[in-house]
Coordinates of all heavy atoms in Angstrom, one line a residue:
M1 N 62.5 106.8 111.4 CA 63.2 106.2 110.3 C 62.9 107.0 109.0 O 61.8 107.3 108.8 CB 62.7 104.8 110.2 CG 63.4 104.0 109.0 SD 62.6 102.4 108.7 CE 63.2 101.5 110.1
K2 N 64.0 107.2 108.3 CA 63.8 108.0 107.0 C 64.3 107.1 105.9 O 65.3 106.4 106.0 CB 64.5 109.3 107.1 CG 63.8 110.3 107.9 CD 64.2 111.7 107.6 CE 63.3 112.7 108.3 NZ 64.0 114.0 108.4
T3 N 63.7 107.3 104.7 CA 64.2 106.5 103.6 C 64.5 107.5 102.4 O 63.8 108.5 102.3 CB 63.2 105.5 103.0 OG1 61.9 106.1 102.8 CG2 63.0 104.4 104.1
Y4 N 65.6 107.2 101.7 CA 66.1 108.0 100.6 C 66.2 107.1 99.4 O 67.2 106.4 99.2 CB 67.5 108.6 101.0 CG 67.4 109.4 102.3 CD1 67.5 108.8 103.6 CD2 67.3 110.8 102.2 CE1 67.4 109.6 104.7 CE2 67.2 111.6 103.4 CZ 67.3 110.9 104.6 OH 67.2 111.7 105.8
P5 N 65.2 107.2 98.5 CA 65.1 106.2 97.4 C 66.0 106.6 96.2 O 66.2 107.7 95.9 CB 63.7 106.3 97.0 CG 63.2 107.6 97.4 CD 64.0 108.0 98.6
K6 N 66.6 105.5 95.7 CA 67.3 105.6 94.4 C 66.6 104.6 93.4 O 65.4 104.3 93.6 CB 68.8 105.1 94.6 CG 69.6 106.2 95.1 CD 71.1 105.8 95.2 CE 71.8 105.9 93.9 NZ 72.0 107.2 93.3
E7 N 67.2 104.2 92.3 CA 66.5 103.4 91.3 C 66.1 102.1 91.9 O 64.9 101.7 91.8 CB 67.4 103.2 90.1 CG 67.8 104.5 89.3 CD 68.9 105.3 90.1 OE1 69.8 104.7 90.7 OE2 68.9 106.5 90.0
N8 N 67.0 101.3 92.3 CA 66.7 99.9 92.8 C 66.7 99.7 94.3 O 66.4 98.6 94.7 CB 67.8 99.0 92.1 CG 67.7 99.0 90.6 OD1 66.7 98.8 90.0 ND2 68.9 99.4 90.0
L9 N 67.1 100.7 95.0 CA 67.2 100.5 96.4 C 67.0 101.9 97.1 O 67.0 102.9 96.5 CB 68.6 100.0 96.8 CG 69.8 100.7 96.3 CD1 70.2 101.9 97.2 CD2 71.0 99.8 96.3
S10 N 66.7 101.8 98.4 CA 66.6 103.0 99.2 C 67.6 102.9 100.4 O 67.9 101.9 100.9 CB 65.2 103.2 99.9 OG 64.3 103.4 98.9
I11 N 68.2 104.1 100.7 CA 69.0 104.2 101.9 C 68.0 104.4 103.1 O 67.1 105.2 103.0 CB 70.0 105.4 101.9 CG1 70.9 105.3 100.7 CG2 70.8 105.4 103.2 CD1 71.8 106.5 100.5
V12 N 68.1 103.6 104.1 CA 67.3 103.7 105.3 C 68.2 104.3 106.4 O 69.3 103.8 106.6 CB 66.7 102.4 105.7 CG1 65.8 102.6 107.0 CG2 65.8 101.8 104.6
W13 N 67.7 105.3 107.1 CA 68.5 105.9 108.2 C 67.6 106.0 109.5 O 66.5 106.5 109.5 CB 69.0 107.3 107.8 CG 69.9 107.8 108.9 CD1 71.1 107.3 109.2 CD2 69.7 109.0 109.7 NE1 71.7 108.1 110.2 CE2 70.9 109.1 110.5 CE3 68.7 109.9 109.8 CZ2 71.0 110.1 111.4 CZ3 68.8 111.0 110.7 CH2 70.0 111.0 111.5
E14 N 68.1 105.3 110.5 CA 67.4 105.3 111.8 C 68.2 106.2 112.8 O 69.3 105.8 113.3 CB 67.3 103.9 112.3 CG 66.4 103.0 111.5 CD 66.5 101.6 111.9 OE1 65.9 101.2 112.9 OE2 67.2 100.8 111.1
A15 N 67.7 107.4 113.0 CA 68.4 108.4 113.7 C 68.8 108.0 115.1 O 69.9 108.3 115.6 CB 67.6 109.7 113.8
E16 N 67.9 107.2 115.8 CA 68.1 106.9 117.2 C 69.3 105.9 117.3 O 69.9 105.7 118.4 CB 66.9 106.3 117.8 CG 66.2 105.1 117.2 CD 65.5 105.3 115.9 OE1 65.4 106.4 115.4 OE2 65.0 104.3 115.4
K17 N 69.7 105.2 116.2 CA 70.8 104.2 116.3 C 72.1 104.9 116.0 O 73.2 104.3 116.2 CB 70.6 103.1 115.3 CG 69.5 102.1 115.7 CD 69.7 100.9 114.7 CE 68.5 100.0 114.9 NZ 68.5 99.0 113.8
C18 N 72.1 106.1 115.4 CA 73.3 106.7 114.9 C 74.3 107.1 116.0 O 73.8 107.7 117.0 CB 73.0 107.9 114.1 SG 74.4 108.8 113.4
Q19 N 75.5 106.7 115.9 CA 76.5 107.0 116.9 C 77.3 108.3 116.5 O 78.3 108.6 117.2 CB 77.5 105.9 117.1 CG 76.8 104.6 117.6 CD 77.7 103.4 117.5 OE1 78.7 103.4 116.8 NE2 77.3 102.3 118.1
H20 N 77.0 108.9 115.5 CA 77.7 110.1 115.0 C 79.2 109.9 114.9 O 80.0 110.8 115.2 CB 77.3 111.3 115.9 CG 75.8 111.5 115.9 ND1 75.1 112.1 114.9 CD2 74.9 111.2 116.9 CE1 73.8 112.1 115.2 NE2 73.7 111.5 116.4
S21 N 79.5 108.7 114.4 CA 81.0 108.4 114.2 C 81.5 109.2 113.0 O 82.7 109.4 112.9 CB 81.2 106.9 114.0 OG 80.4 106.5 112.9
G22 N 80.7 109.6 112.1 CA 81.1 110.3 110.9 C 81.7 109.5 109.8 O 82.3 110.1 108.9
I23 N 81.6 108.2 109.9 CA 82.3 107.4 108.9 C 81.6 107.6 107.6 O 82.2 107.7 106.5 CB 82.2 105.9 109.4 CG1 83.2 105.7 110.5 CG2 82.6 105.0 108.2 CD1 83.2 104.4 111.2
C24 N 80.3 107.7 107.6 CA 79.5 107.9 106.3 C 80.0 109.2 105.6 O 80.2 109.2 104.4 CB 78.0 107.9 106.6 SG 77.5 109.0 107.9
I25 N 80.2 110.2 106.4 CA 80.5 111.5 105.9 C 82.0 111.5 105.3 O 82.2 112.1 104.3 CB 80.5 112.6 107.1 CG1 79.0 112.6 107.6 CG2 80.9 113.9 106.6 CD1 78.9 113.2 109.0
K26 N 82.8 110.7 106.0 CA 84.2 110.6 105.5 C 84.3 109.8 104.2 O 85.0 110.2 103.3 CB 85.0 109.9 106.6 CG 86.4 110.5 106.8 CD 87.1 109.8 107.9 CE 86.7 110.4 109.3 NZ 87.3 109.6 110.4
L27 N 83.5 108.8 104.1 CA 83.5 107.9 103.0 C 82.8 108.5 101.7 O 83.3 108.4 100.6 CB 82.9 106.5 103.3 CG 83.7 105.6 104.2 CD1 82.9 104.4 104.6 CD2 85.0 105.2 103.6
L28 N 81.7 109.2 102.0 CA 81.0 109.7 100.8 C 80.5 111.1 101.2 O 79.3 111.4 101.4 CB 79.7 108.8 100.5 CG 80.0 107.5 99.7 CD1 78.7 106.8 99.5 CD2 80.7 107.8 98.4
P29 N 81.4 112.1 101.2 CA 81.1 113.4 101.6 C 80.1 114.1 100.7 O 79.4 115.0 101.1 CB 82.4 114.2 101.6 CG 83.4 113.3 100.9 CD 82.9 111.9 101.0
K30 N 80.0 113.6 99.4 CA 79.0 114.3 98.5 C 77.6 113.8 98.8 O 76.6 114.5 98.4 CB 79.3 113.8 97.1 CG 80.5 114.6 96.4 CD 80.5 114.4 95.0 CE 81.9 113.9 94.6 NZ 82.0 113.1 93.4
V31 N 77.5 112.7 99.5 CA 76.1 112.2 99.8 C 75.7 112.6 101.2 O 74.6 113.1 101.4 CB 76.1 110.6 99.7 CG1 74.8 110.1 100.2 CG2 76.4 110.2 98.3
Y32 N 76.6 112.5 102.2 CA 76.2 112.8 103.6 C 76.8 114.1 104.0 O 78.0 114.3 104.1 CB 76.8 111.7 104.5 CG 76.3 110.3 104.1 CD1 77.0 109.5 103.2 CD2 75.1 109.9 104.6 CE1 76.5 108.3 102.9 CE2 74.6 108.6 104.2 CZ 75.3 107.8 103.3 OH 74.8 106.6 103.0
N33 N 75.9 115.1 104.3 CA 76.4 116.4 104.8 C 75.4 116.8 105.9 O 74.3 117.3 105.6 CB 76.4 117.4 103.7 CG 77.0 118.7 104.2 OD1 77.0 119.0 105.4 ND2 77.5 119.5 103.3
P34 N 75.7 116.6 107.2 CA 74.8 117.0 108.2 C 74.4 118.4 108.3 O 73.5 118.8 109.0 CB 75.5 116.5 109.5 CG 76.9 116.2 109.1 CD 77.0 116.1 107.7
R35 N 75.2 119.3 107.6 CA 74.9 120.7 107.7 C 73.8 121.1 106.7 O 73.4 122.3 106.7 CB 76.1 121.5 107.4 CG 77.1 121.4 108.5 CD 78.2 122.5 108.5 NE 79.4 122.1 109.2 CZ 80.5 121.7 108.6 NH1 80.6 121.7 107.3 NH2 81.5 121.2 109.3
E36 N 73.4 120.2 105.8 CA 72.4 120.5 104.8 C 71.2 119.7 105.0 O 71.2 118.7 105.7 CB 73.0 120.3 103.4 CG 74.1 121.3 103.1 CD 74.7 121.1 101.7 OE1 74.2 120.3 100.9 OE2 75.8 121.7 101.5
R37 N 70.1 120.2 104.4 CA 68.8 119.4 104.5 C 68.4 119.2 103.0 O 68.4 120.2 102.3 CB 67.8 120.2 105.2 CG 68.1 120.2 106.7 CD 67.9 118.9 107.4 NE 68.3 118.9 108.8 CZ 69.5 118.7 109.3 NH1 70.5 118.4 108.4 NH2 69.7 118.7 110.5
P38 N 68.0 118.0 102.6 CA 68.2 116.8 103.4 C 69.7 116.4 103.6 O 70.5 116.8 102.8 CB 67.5 115.7 102.6 CG 67.6 116.2 101.2 CD 67.6 117.7 101.3
W39 N 70.0 115.8 104.7 CA 71.5 115.6 105.0 C 72.0 114.4 104.1 O 73.2 114.3 104.0 CB 71.7 115.4 106.5 CG 71.5 114.0 107.0 CD1 70.3 113.4 107.3 CD2 72.5 113.0 107.3 NE1 70.6 112.1 107.8 CE2 71.9 111.9 107.8 CE3 73.9 113.0 107.2 CZ2 72.6 110.7 108.2 CZ3 74.6 111.9 107.6 CH2 74.0 110.8 108.1
I40 N 71.1 113.6 103.6 CA 71.5 112.5 102.6 C 71.1 112.9 101.2 O 69.9 113.1 101.0 CB 70.9 111.2 103.1 CG1 71.5 110.8 104.4 CG2 71.3 110.1 102.0 CD1 70.9 109.4 105.0
K41 N 72.1 113.0 100.3 CA 71.8 113.3 98.9 C 72.2 112.0 98.1 O 73.3 112.0 97.6 CB 72.5 114.5 98.4 CG 71.9 115.8 99.1 CD 72.4 117.0 98.5 CE 71.9 118.2 99.3 NZ 72.5 118.3 100.6
Q42 N 71.3 111.1 98.1 CA 71.6 109.8 97.5 C 71.9 109.9 96.0 O 72.5 108.9 95.4 CB 70.4 108.8 97.8 CG 69.1 109.1 97.1 CD 68.2 110.1 97.9 OE1 68.7 111.0 98.6 NE2 66.9 109.9 97.8
E43 N 71.5 111.0 95.3 CA 71.7 111.1 93.9 C 73.2 111.3 93.6 O 73.6 111.3 92.4 CB 70.8 112.2 93.3 CG 71.1 113.6 93.8 CD 70.3 114.0 95.0 OE1 69.9 113.1 95.8 OE2 70.2 115.2 95.3
N44 N 74.0 111.6 94.6 CA 75.4 112.0 94.3 C 76.3 110.8 94.4 O 77.6 111.0 94.4 CB 75.8 113.1 95.4 CG 75.1 114.4 95.1 OD1 74.6 114.6 94.0 ND2 75.2 115.3 96.0
A45 N 75.8 109.6 94.4 CA 76.7 108.4 94.3 C 76.0 107.3 93.6 O 74.8 107.3 93.5 CB 77.1 108.0 95.7
T46 N 76.8 106.3 93.1 CA 76.1 105.2 92.5 C 75.6 104.2 93.5 O 76.0 104.3 94.7 CB 77.1 104.4 91.6 OG1 78.1 103.9 92.4 CG2 77.8 105.3 90.6
E47 N 74.7 103.4 93.1 CA 74.2 102.4 94.1 C 75.3 101.5 94.6 O 75.3 101.2 95.8 CB 73.1 101.5 93.4 CG 71.9 102.4 93.0 CD 70.7 101.6 92.6 OE1 70.9 100.4 92.2 OE2 69.6 102.1 92.6
E48 N 76.3 101.2 93.8 CA 77.4 100.3 94.2 C 78.2 101.0 95.3 O 78.5 100.4 96.4 CB 78.4 100.0 93.1 CG 77.8 99.0 92.1 CD 76.7 99.6 91.2 OE1 76.7 100.8 91.0 OE2 75.9 98.8 90.7
E49 N 78.5 102.3 95.1 CA 79.2 103.1 96.1 C 78.4 103.1 97.4 O 79.0 103.1 98.5 CB 79.4 104.5 95.6 CG 80.5 104.6 94.5 CD 80.5 106.0 93.9 OE1 79.5 106.7 93.7 OE2 81.7 106.5 93.7
I50 N 77.1 103.3 97.3 CA 76.3 103.4 98.5 C 76.3 102.1 99.3 O 76.4 102.0 100.5 CB 74.9 103.9 98.2 CG1 75.0 105.4 97.9 CG2 73.9 103.7 99.3 CD1 73.9 106.1 97.3
I51 N 76.1 101.0 98.6 CA 76.1 99.7 99.2 C 77.4 99.4 100.0 O 77.4 99.0 101.2 CB 75.9 98.6 98.2 CG1 74.5 98.6 97.6 CG2 76.1 97.2 98.8 CD1 74.3 97.8 96.3
K52 N 78.5 99.7 99.4 CA 79.8 99.6 100.0 C 79.9 100.4 101.3 O 80.4 99.9 102.3 CB 80.9 100.0 99.0 CG 82.1 99.0 98.9 CD 82.9 99.4 97.8 CE 84.4 99.6 98.2 NZ 85.2 100.2 97.1
Q53 N 79.5 101.6 101.2 CA 79.6 102.6 102.3 C 78.7 102.2 103.5 O 79.1 102.2 104.6 CB 79.3 104.0 101.8 CG 79.2 105.0 102.8 CD 77.8 105.1 103.3 OE1 76.8 105.1 102.5 NE2 77.6 105.1 104.6
V54 N 77.4 101.8 103.1 CA 76.5 101.5 104.2 C 77.0 100.3 105.0 O 76.7 100.3 106.2 CB 75.1 101.2 103.5 CG1 74.1 100.5 104.5 CG2 74.4 102.5 103.1
K55 N 77.7 99.4 104.4 CA 78.2 98.3 105.2 C 79.2 98.7 106.3 O 79.5 98.0 107.2 CB 79.0 97.3 104.2 CG 78.0 96.4 103.4 CD 78.8 95.4 102.7 CE 78.0 94.7 101.6 NZ 78.7 94.3 100.4
Q56 N 79.8 99.9 106.1 CA 80.8 100.4 107.0 C 80.2 101.1 108.2 O 80.9 101.5 109.1 CB 81.8 101.4 106.3 CG 82.3 100.9 105.0 CD 83.4 99.9 105.2 OE1 84.3 100.1 106.1 NE2 83.5 98.9 104.3
C57 N 78.9 101.3 108.2 CA 78.3 102.1 109.3 C 78.3 101.2 110.5 O 77.8 100.1 110.6 CB 76.8 102.4 108.9 SG 75.9 103.1 110.3
P58 N 79.0 101.6 111.6 CA 79.2 100.8 112.8 C 78.0 100.5 113.6 O 78.0 99.5 114.4 CB 80.3 101.5 113.5 CG 80.1 103.0 113.2 CD 79.6 103.0 111.7
S59 N 77.0 101.4 113.5 CA 75.9 101.2 114.5 C 74.7 100.5 113.8 O 73.7 100.2 114.6 CB 75.4 102.6 114.9 OG 74.9 103.3 113.7
G60 N 74.7 100.4 112.5 CA 73.5 99.8 111.9 C 72.4 100.9 111.6 O 71.3 100.6 111.3
A61 N 72.8 102.1 111.9 CA 71.8 103.2 111.6 C 71.4 103.3 110.1 O 70.3 103.6 109.8 CB 72.3 104.6 112.1
L62 N 72.4 103.0 109.3 CA 72.2 103.0 107.9 C 72.0 101.6 107.4 O 72.7 100.7 107.8 CB 73.4 103.6 107.1 CG 73.6 105.1 107.2 CD1 75.0 105.5 106.6 CD2 72.5 105.9 106.6
S63 N 71.0 101.4 106.5 CA 70.8 100.1 105.9 C 70.2 100.3 104.5 O 69.9 101.4 104.2 CB 69.9 99.2 106.8 OG 68.7 99.9 107.0
I64 N 70.2 99.2 103.8 CA 69.7 99.3 102.4 C 68.4 98.5 102.3 O 68.3 97.4 102.9 CB 70.7 98.6 101.5 CG1 72.1 99.3 101.5 CG2 70.2 98.4 100.1 CD1 72.2 100.6 100.7
K65 N 67.5 99.1 101.7 CA 66.2 98.4 101.4 C 66.1 98.2 99.9 O 66.1 99.3 99.2 CB 65.0 99.1 102.0 CG 63.7 98.4 101.8 CD 62.6 99.2 102.5 CE 61.3 98.5 102.5 NZ 60.7 98.5 101.1
Y66 N 66.1 97.0 99.4 CA 66.0 96.8 97.9 C 64.5 96.9 97.5 O 63.7 96.3 98.2 CB 66.6 95.4 97.6 CG 68.1 95.4 97.7 CD1 68.7 95.0 98.9 CD2 68.9 95.9 96.7 CE1 70.1 95.1 99.1 CE2 70.3 96.0 96.9 CZ 70.9 95.5 98.1 OH 72.2 95.6 98.2
H67 N 64.3 97.5 96.4 CA 62.9 97.7 95.9 C 62.4 96.4 95.3 O 63.2 95.7 94.7 CB 62.8 98.8 94.9 CG 63.2 100.2 95.5 ND1 63.6 101.2 94.7 CD2 63.4 100.6 96.7 CE1 63.9 102.3 95.4 NE2 63.8 101.9 96.7
E68 N 61.2 96.1 95.4 CA 60.6 94.9 94.8 C 60.4 95.2 93.3 O 60.1 96.3 92.9 CB 59.2 94.6 95.4 CG 59.3 94.6 96.9 CD 58.6 93.5 97.6 OE1 57.8 92.8 96.9 OE2 58.8 93.2 98.7
K69 N 60.7 94.2 92.5 CA 60.6 94.4 91.1 C 59.2 93.9 90.6 O 58.6 93.1 91.1 CB 61.7 93.6 90.4 CG 63.0 94.1 90.9 CD 63.9 94.4 89.7 CE 65.2 95.2 90.2 NZ 66.4 94.6 89.7
Ligands
SF4_101 S1 78.4 106.0 109.8 FE1 76.4 105.3 110.7 S2 76.7 105.7 112.9 FE2 78.3 106.9 111.8 S3 77.4 108.9 111.5 FE3 77.0 107.7 109.7 S4 75.0 106.9 110.0 FE4 75.7 107.5 112.0

């Protein structure tokens, strides 16, 4: 499991759940690029955009973890 922190939340990615459907890459190509390392560049989208996109991940490999205040 890897986490990619932003201001108020982190993107969580569980590689073993990923079905490689490519939906994340299609929706937010500036953030998700499997040819680059790190493959997730969370700084390239707003938190709102990321929340919306993570909901579309069909496998549950991507999720959001909200930071404690
Ligand atoms: S949308 Fe989810 S299942 Fe599809 S490639 Fe991205 S992380 Fe993997």
